[in-house]
Amino acid sequence: MRMSQCLPLSFATLAALALPATAQSQVTISGYLDTGVFRDYDKTRKLGTIQRSHLAVAGTEDLGGGLKANFRLSTRFELDTGQSEGAGSKPFWHDESTVGLQGGWGQLRLGRALSAMWSQEWKFDAFSNFNRIASTAWHMAHYYTPTDRASNNGAAEYGRMTNGIYYDSPTWDGFSFNASASTERTQTPGRDGRGGSVALNYDQGPVAAMVGYERNGSGDKDLFLGGLYRLGAATLMMAYDHSRAGSSPDTSRMVSVGGSYALGVTTLRASYGRQRLNDGVTHHMASLGAEYNLSKRTMLYASLGHQRYEHNPSRTAFGVGVAHAF
């Protein structure tokens, strides 16, 4: 919605008179609400978030000459309790807090957001690295390489970079480029440094692919490769992730395959992942899911995941949920 519609007329009029004639601004509020009933891998029964819930405020201002200013503030929360996600450990604007400029040359943002690699890799997981029950990427990818080992009050953060600079290129013949880097050193005793991340992407016609590389401030490194092929109502995808710890010889190699198939308002999903650690331990995970769209914004879904980890008993999680986007 336009924020100006919520303002008193006199204030909106004065604000419009104070701006240059060429400037046009718009503020929107959006979000995603998700909750479900599920049995987790630890065999406990829960009501709560299976995917993620967030509330975002974003805005753009046309500065003229093809240049725009933009910002985005997004917080994540647990719908069942109303608490912020990771309350007490994660920042309130955990999801994103950025401001920047964009033009024909691309987009430049400053603040906290997904790193370049993480902003793209979810496309190559059948469950978008978004489902705690069924996503193989959630459980197996980037195993030894958090984006920042200390940004959540001393705890690891997988995905988001604080004190960051982010660049997103335009698309040329299907190719695009993303880069991000932290301006401050990670405060990890004996392992402090600055993190950086890059992703090269291709998406044109039925084919999409990416190669991403990330090194956090603690010296952990991650190489990610992904590809997908669209064939009518079906999408097939695969991914490879090689995660290496900076302070030990620990490594993890994950390979996953997956796909989705649309049948009218129903979408079926499936995935399989295999992870091999440097000591020879091998893990397996298989998942199934179904989504039923009640409308363009609301869906019901069911998820099933089964893990067979070496030296551990097999375990299964399953649940049903409802999600609404606005």
Side-chain angles (χ1 to χ4, degrees):
M1 71 177 185
R2 290 182 180 274
M3 191 64 76
S4 60
Q5 293 175 347
C6 302
L7 298 175
L9 178 61
S10 58
F11 182 85
T13 303
L14 289 172
L17 292 174
L19 293 172
T22 58
Q24 296 181 6
S25 61
Q26 181 175 353
V27 175
T28 60
I29 297 176
S30 62
Y32 191 83
L33 307 178
D34 173 272
T35 196
V37 179
F38 62 101
R39 193 188 84 155
D40 212 345
Y41 286 102
D42 61 4
K43 297 183 180 182
T44 60
R45 292 176 174 84
K46 301 176 181 179
L47 188 152
T49 299
I50 296 177
Q51 300 182 116
R52 293 296 195 194
S53 296
H54 75 268
L55 177 67
V57 181
T60 61
E61 181 184 13
D62 190 341
L63 302 175
L67 186 65
K68 294 182 179 180
N70 58 49
F71 75 89
R72 180 178 173 84
L73 298 172
S74 180
T75 183
R76 297 206 319 205
F77 56 93
E78 306 293 348
L79 194 63
D80 55 316
T81 63
Q83 294 285 335
S84 296
E85 184 182 299
S89 61
K90 296 180 180 180
F92 179 76
W93 298 113
H94 167 62
D95 200 29
E96 184 171 342
S97 54
T98 59
V99 63
L101 297 172
Q102 66 182 86
W105 42 266
Q107 178 176 234
L108 185 68
R109 296 170 293 148
L110 305 176
R112 172 186 170 92
L114 285 171
S115 69
M117 184 185 72
W118 278 80
S119 69
Q120 305 298 317
E121 56 87 48
W122 61 270
K123 302 173 184 177
F124 305 96
D125 177 68
F127 295 89
S128 303
N129 201 350
F130 195 58
N131 185 309
R132 71 172 68 244
I133 291 175
S135 170
T136 53
W138 183 307
H139 292 278
M140 293 180 167
H142 323 300
Y143 199 71
Y144 290 116
T145 314
T147 304
D148 191 324
R149 285 193 174 273
S151 66
N152 293 324
N153 290 329
E157 163 60 46
Y158 284 81
R160 285 162 182 81
M161 184 177 290
T162 57
N163 307 305
I165 301 175
Y166 309 86
Y167 172 72
D168 308 301
S169 80
T171 300
W172 302 285
D173 296 325
F175 287 95
S176 61
F177 176 74
N178 308 87
S180 60
S182 177
T183 61
E184 297 187 13
R185 302 180 74 87
T186 299
Q187 299 303 309
T188 305
R191 301 177 64 189
D192 61 319
R194 295 182 178 88
S197 182
V198 293
L200 177 64
N201 320 285
Y202 178 81
D203 192 344
Q204 188 163 273
V207 177
M210 76 162 283
V211 54
Y213 178 79
E214 183 163 308
R215 183 188 186 281
N216 65 22
S218 302
D220 309 313
K221 300 175 183 178
D222 198 304
L223 172 67
F224 182 89
L225 306 173
L228 65 80
Y229 185 78
R230 306 177 185 98
L231 183 63
T235 300
L236 304 176
M237 63 195 68
M238 66 179 303
Y240 169 81
D241 178 75
H242 183 194
S243 174
R244 293 169 287 173
S247 62
S248 72
D250 291 334
T251 64
S252 167
R253 289 178 172 86
M254 181 211 73
V255 176
S256 67
V257 294
S260 63
Y261 189 82
L263 293 166
V265 296
T266 301
T267 300
L268 305 177
R269 301 184 183 276
S271 68
Y272 167 77
R274 178 181 183 273
Q275 179 189 34
R276 186 171 180 82
L277 306 181
N278 62 297
D279 58 3
V281 171
T282 303
H283 298 158
H284 301 268
M285 179 174 175
S287 306
L288 295 172
E291 301 168 356
Y292 182 80
N293 294 306
L294 297 173
S295 70
K296 291 182 178 180
R297 296 180 178 271
T298 304
M299 75 171 181
L300 303 175
Y301 65 92
S303 303
L304 171 69
H306 178 73
Q307 296 177 344
R308 183 163 55 86
Y309 285 9
E310 198 167 327
H311 307 315
N312 288 293
S314 297
R315 54 186 190 170
T316 301
F318 54 86
V320 294
V322 58
H324 175 76
F326 64 92

